[in-house]
Amino acid sequence: MVPDQVLTTSVPVHGDDDPLMTPGEVARLLRVDPVTLGRWARSGAIASVALPGGHRRYRRSVVAAILATAGTDPR
């Protein structure tokens, strides 16, 4: 699980080479419930991309940075 810290990181400008991940994929990697992930996104603790339909996606580089900070291998 991610430590009790703010999950924001400074991430370089994103291009098309930084794929988006679904909440389910990110939640599995961070070992949290998708509802918790959504709560973090709404509070600004983790950066997300809002799609026109209201769904959220997360940039792979942001998730990798969080995992690196938490000391977890992002496989």
Side-chain angles (χ1 to χ4, degrees):
M1 177 152 168
V2 178
D4 293 335
Q5 64 186 8
V6 177
L7 299 176
T8 55
T9 59
S10 58
V11 178
V13 176
H14 305 287
D16 291 333
D17 60 337
D18 191 10
L20 297 176
M21 299 176 69
T22 67
E25 292 170 332
V26 176
R28 275 190 298 280
L29 286 172
L30 297 180
R31 297 180 184 181
V32 297
D33 192 270
V35 173
T36 300
L37 183 63
R39 191 176 311 121
W40 289 348
R42 284 189 300 279
S43 73
I46 183 172
S48 67
V49 176
L51 301 179
H55 297 279
R56 293 184 190 275
R57 296 295 182 265
Y58 302 87
R59 297 207 181 269
R60 185 176 302 265
S61 62
V62 171
V63 176
I66 292 168
L67 290 171
T69 301
T72 306
D73 190 0
R75 289 185 209 172

